[in-house]
Amino acid sequence: MGGGMTIVERTQVFLLPDLGEGLSEAEIVEWRVAVGDVVTVDQSVVEVETAKAVVDVPCPYAGRVVTLHGAAGEVRPVGQPLITIAPLDGGDEPAGHATYREEERAGSGNVLIGYGTGHGTATRRRRRPRLAVAPEPADAGPTGGTGAASGAMSRDPAAPPAALVISPIVRRLAREHGVDLDTVRGTGPGGVIRRADVEAALTAPATRLAAVPDPQVGSAPAGDGDVIVPLTGVRKVIADKLSRSRREIPEVTIWVDVDATGLLETRAAINAATPDAPVSILALLARICLSGLRRFPQLNARVDTEAQRIVQSAGVHLGIAAQTDRGLLVPVLRDAQRLTTAELAAELAATTAAARAGSLPPARLTGGTFTLNNYGVFGVDGSTPIINHPEAALLGVGRIVDKPWVVDGQLAVRKVTQLSLTFDHRVCDGGVAGGFLRHVADCVERPALLIAAV
């Protein structure tokens, strides 16, 4: 009995770490280990999905797995037990236990232990198709629920096999929209249900489950045919951040129409000279913004309300607004001012692709100092965008279209776009904001000015 007590005392419980700004929970996607497995320091033990990304979580302890806290599909709060590790039999201290990250010794709650430390990457195993994990039957509502709305253990043995769902995003989409996964035909390999299958099922009323009123919501009940979309996951994060921005930041938006013909011609000339490294319009606009921020560093800042001060950042951590299947994300290019235009183009392409694939770590989605938003891709001319809190400014770019324009006193058809700058009036006045926007507009119209400024 004394030996058993010793083992319990030396058991290490790894809590779910803080996975990034504003993230208070994560859904378990897949365990990489099982009870009884031996793990090493920094070995990835579980894949989780947050409101911003899907990430592997490494464990800072070495030893044998005693307990896995939570099953696939379960949401765990930050700071709650994730996995329990015991020392190997016969060892006083698990090998490598004393070497776990300095950040953990320091008690930092903001560090994802082992993430990106360069101590090797665990081999990623192919994810196996599994049955959708659903709420307990007690939560299924008065109808009892089927498929995604009832527990797998309550299924009638004579019923057809449960739907194959691999992606937690698909399961969440079905749960939020009340789609019975058992009625959805999967078009993926082996009949796996994909996101497109669920979205297609949304148009078929027969696949929708009865909506269960939320007793915590004080609004009037939904009418027949209404679609209830819970404010959870990435939508909740977006809503909270934008609401905070509107509450705290006294923002002002100014705009100007510009002739982008010269910018398009410059891009064509660059790409003709370097066909193996094409440059996008977004990359050129990013380069112009970096030039403007060097002239007007007041906009590359944030307001520290607690300390009552304005903090101007030494580097430009450029955020790029990207629309994804999971909502609007703003991946960040750190120290973007150090990149050449070609490097900017390559990094922008890789970053936006990773954001849309959901493979960016949470650290790449926070810490921006200025945001560039190309909403012209949606076919709109202008906007009054909300600042990405706690940044101080955001430049929006509308679509580029043919419009009549006066050139040297003569009417001509030119490529015209609208630039909008939303800025925090606490960090500067209109003279600085107008100077920045005018510099950007002049460089768009006459790219030679950009070359002269860099």
Side-chain angles (χ1 to χ4, degrees), residues 271-349:
N271 290 344
T274 59
D276 294 334
V279 171
S280 64
I281 288 294
L282 187 63
L284 293 179
L285 290 169
R287 171 56 62 206
I288 293 172
C289 285
L290 293 170
S291 173
L293 292 173
R294 187 171 64 176
R295 286 193 174 195
F296 301 94
Q298 299 94 325
L299 294 172
N300 189 48
R302 61 183 174 84
V303 175
D304 185 346
T305 54
E306 293 185 2
Q308 287 296 293
R309 61 182 183 177
I310 297 172
V311 180
Q312 290 185 14
S313 299
V316 180
H317 307 315
L318 185 64
I320 302 296
Q323 189 66 43
T324 74
D325 289 341
R326 304 175 65 241
L328 179 66
L329 301 179
V330 186
V332 176
L333 278 62
R334 302 199 180 277
D335 292 312
Q337 79 281 358
R338 298 181 179 178
L339 302 176
T340 66
T341 302
E343 290 170 341
L344 267 176
E347 188 65 21
L348 282 170

Side-chain angles (χ1 to χ4, degrees), residues 30-94:
E30 179 184 25
W31 283 103
R32 305 280 189 208
V33 296
V35 173
D37 287 355
V38 174
V39 298
T40 58
V41 172
D42 264 1
Q43 178 178 336
S44 176
V45 294
V46 65
E47 183 182 59
V48 301
E49 181 189 11
T50 71
K52 292 187 175 182
V54 176
V55 297
D56 283 309
V57 179
C59 179
Y61 308 119
R64 191 176 303 279
V65 178
V66 175
T67 306
L68 303 179
H69 300 277
E74 181 178 333
V75 175
R76 301 291 294 173
V78 168
Q80 293 299 306
L82 187 63
I83 187 171
T84 300
I85 305 294
L88 298 177
D89 295 340
D92 294 331
E93 186 78 4

Side-chain angles (χ1 to χ4, degrees), residues 3 7 17 50 93 99 131 138 146 206 229 233 247 251 265 302 321 368 386:
I7 292 177
T50 71
E93 186 78 4
T99 65
L131 300 185
T146 60
V229 181
R247 284 196 308 269
E251 60 189 26
E265 292 173 347
R302 61 183 174 84
I386 300 176

Side-chain angles (χ1 to χ4, degrees), residues 114-188:
Y115 193 88
T117 59
H119 289 268
T121 303
T123 301
R124 203 175 164 85
R125 298 184 297 185
R126 181 180 297 273
R127 198 181 299 176
R128 299 174 182 172
R130 60 174 182 275
L131 300 185
V133 178
E136 294 296 325
D139 298 328
T143 63
T146 60
S150 63
M153 296 301 295
S154 63
R155 186 176 298 279
D156 184 351
L164 286 178
V165 183
I166 297 177
S167 170
I169 297 176
V170 172
R171 287 189 280 106
R172 177 178 297 164
L173 182 66
R175 183 168 60 246
E176 292 177 350
H177 290 279
V179 173
D180 182 357
L181 288 171
D182 285 346
T183 66
V184 178
R185 177 179 175 272
T187 60

Side-chain angles (χ1 to χ4, degrees), residues 171-225:
R171 287 189 280 106
R172 177 178 297 164
L173 182 66
R175 183 168 60 246
E176 292 177 350
H177 290 279
V179 173
D180 182 357
L181 288 171
D182 285 346
T183 66
V184 178
R185 177 179 175 272
T187 60
V192 170
I193 296 176
R194 303 178 304 149
R195 183 189 188 97
D197 300 327
V198 175
E199 291 174 342
L202 292 176
T203 61
T207 66
R208 309 291 285 276
L209 300 179
V212 181
D214 187 345
Q216 297 179 350
V217 178
S219 59
D224 292 341

